[in-house]
């Protein structure tokens, strides 16, 4: 498939990218291009200008930031997956990045692109939701921080304004158990369903991949665990408040059952 015609410019800084987004409201940022270019080839996206931020190396980093770890938006999945700092301080993020697509996708796709794209089937978003990560966005009027609970707003939509650039994602250091269970037919496929679980503040937080229009928190499960339910009883509430899609890979009923099985396994792992 061939995309609709577009212009291409390379931004030489975040401010330059913001200025170019303001110049052309139909323009779109290009990071790794592994979600945007397929969408353009299918003509689901028709940006008039591609504003390439893929070479802004100062947005590719992983560093300590007090009790958090700061990850630059242009950090490639491979670098997240192999980061010693993340493996020590927040291993679920490194693990989730290691199960994204295949090596080619992981060497080109970025964590910022995965989040800004707002795909509920993406692996990192549900993990970041369970971690209560923070998203840093920069726009014409400066920088703001968006909590994960308010970042993913609808299908392929986020709280980012059209002229904002996602610059950083901050994840908390974790010391308790964690699990990210991704169910797919082949190792390189997207998740049919994914479940992220982390211990935090004496409880467990659970995120769901591909169970609705956005990544979701399984709040019924979290409440059940807080009230003393065992993993099997808590997992029975995994599909509460979800609206899983039905597609060629699975029906919505199958996804609901799968979510319950994966949540039980994730809870058993986290609470062991
Ligand atoms: C074959 C294949 C298999 C894949 N499998 C998986 C998988 O199993 N799991 C998974 O999670 N993902 C998977 N992906 C998607 C992959 O993770 C993408 O890299 C990711 O979703 C998008 O990152 P990107 O850097 O390529 O973003 P791009 O495609 O460049 O951009 C995506 C969207 O985000 C916007 N954007 C990008 N960066 C920013 C920013 N810093 N600020 C604001 N907006 C921004 C762009 O304008 C665009 O709208 C797969 C992709 C392919 C091609």
């Amino acid at each position: 498939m061939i995309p609709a015609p577009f212009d291409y410019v390379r931004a030489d800084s975040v401010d330059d990218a913001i200025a170019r987004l303001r110049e052309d409201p139909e323009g779109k940022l290009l990071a790794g291009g592994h979600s945007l270019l397929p969408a353009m080839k299918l003509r689901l996206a028709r940006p008039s200008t591609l504003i390439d931020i893929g070479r802004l190396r100062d947005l590719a980093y992983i560093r300590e930031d007090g009790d958090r770890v700061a990850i630059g938006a242009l950090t490639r999945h491979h670098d997240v997956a192999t980061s010693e700092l993340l493996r020590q301080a927040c291993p679920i993020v490194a693990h989730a990045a290691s199960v994204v697509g295949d090596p080619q996708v992981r060497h080109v796709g970025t964590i910022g692109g995965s989040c800004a794209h707002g795909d509920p089937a993406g692996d990192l978003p549900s993990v970041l939701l369970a971690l209560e990560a923070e998203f840093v966005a920069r726009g014409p009027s400066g920088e703001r921080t968006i909590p994960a609970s308010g970042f993913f707003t609808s299908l392929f939509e986020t709280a980012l304004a059209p002229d904002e650039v996602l610059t950083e994602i901050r994840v908390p250091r974790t010391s308790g158990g964690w699990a990210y269970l991704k169910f797919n037919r082949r190792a390189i496929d997207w998740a049919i369903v994914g479940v992220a679980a982390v211990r935090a503040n004496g409880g467990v937080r659970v995120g769901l991949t591909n169970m609705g229009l956005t990544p979701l928190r399984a709040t019924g499960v979290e409440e059940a665990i807080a009230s003393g339910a065992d993993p099997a009883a808590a997992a029975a509430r995994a599909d509460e408040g979800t609206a899983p899609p039905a597609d060629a890979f699975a029906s919505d009923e199958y996804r609901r059952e799968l979510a319950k099985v994966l949540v039980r396994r994730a809870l058993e792992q986290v609470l062991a």
Side-chain angles (χ1 to χ4, degrees):
M1 299 284 279
I2 299 173
F6 59 90
D7 289 331
Y8 171 90
V9 292
R10 192 181 291 172
D12 55 28
S13 66
V14 173
D15 288 339
D16 184 29
I18 294 166
R20 290 179 185 274
L21 282 171
R22 283 177 74 80
E23 265 166 35
D24 182 357
E26 301 299 318
K28 270 204 167 288
L29 300 176
L30 177 73
H34 267 45
S35 289
L36 182 54
L37 296 183
M40 288 171 63
K41 287 181 181 174
L42 292 169
R43 304 222 172 182
L44 297 172
R46 292 169 174 248
S48 47
T49 309
L50 281 187
I51 303 158
D52 189 351
I53 55 170
R55 291 175 180 79
L56 297 183
R57 299 312 301 163
D58 54 342
L59 284 190
Y61 56 83
I62 300 169
R63 58 186 175 227
E64 294 186 79
D65 180 25
D67 59 353
R68 304 201 152 231
V69 177
I71 308 170
L74 280 168
T75 310
R76 312 279 160 187
H77 299 310
H78 171 80
D79 297 323
V80 173
T82 55
S83 158
E84 255 327 298
L85 175 57
L86 281 171
R87 283 179 173 178
Q88 299 287 328
C90 195
I92 190 173
V93 174
H95 173 73
S98 79
V99 298
V100 169
D102 54 35
Q104 185 184 346
V105 173
R106 293 196 290 275
H107 276 88
V108 181
T110 65
I111 188 168
S114 275
C115 296
H117 192 52
D119 186 338
D123 293 296
L124 272 312
S126 61
V127 170
L128 297 171
L129 195 60
L131 286 168
E132 297 189 344
E134 287 176 348
F135 296 80
V136 182
R138 205 188 308 166
S141 45
E143 200 167 87
R144 67 184 178 120
T145 303
I146 308 163
S149 57
F151 187 79
F152 302 101
T153 52
S154 189
L155 187 65
F156 300 118
E157 283 181 22
T158 68
L160 291 171
D163 55 3
E164 278 184 320
V165 178
L166 176 63
T167 55
E168 186 175 277
I169 295 153
R170 296 180 189 143
V171 296
R173 287 174 173 276
T174 52
S175 52
W178 60 272
Y180 181 64
L181 303 183
K182 172 177 182 172
F183 189 90
N184 48 9
R185 289 210 231 174
R186 298 172 305 166
I188 58 169
D189 284 343
W190 292 78
I192 293 176
V193 172
V195 171
V198 286
R199 279 201 99 143
N201 303 331
V204 178
R205 293 202 296 253
V206 180
L208 301 173
T209 302
N210 215 4
M211 283 294 288
L213 296 181
T214 62
L216 297 170
R217 281 279 286 274
T219 47
V221 174
E222 296 175 8
E223 280 164 21
I225 289 290
S227 325
D230 64 24
R237 298 181 61 183
D239 67 330
E240 275 182 24
T242 67
D247 54 28
F249 297 103
S251 65
D252 54 342
E253 291 90 345
Y254 181 88
R255 282 193 164 89
R256 286 180 189 278
E257 284 310 305
L258 185 54
K260 292 175 189 173
V261 172
L262 295 179
V263 166
R264 177 180 52 73
R265 289 181 190 165
L267 292 175
E268 285 167 353
Q269 223 168 292
V270 165
L271 298 170

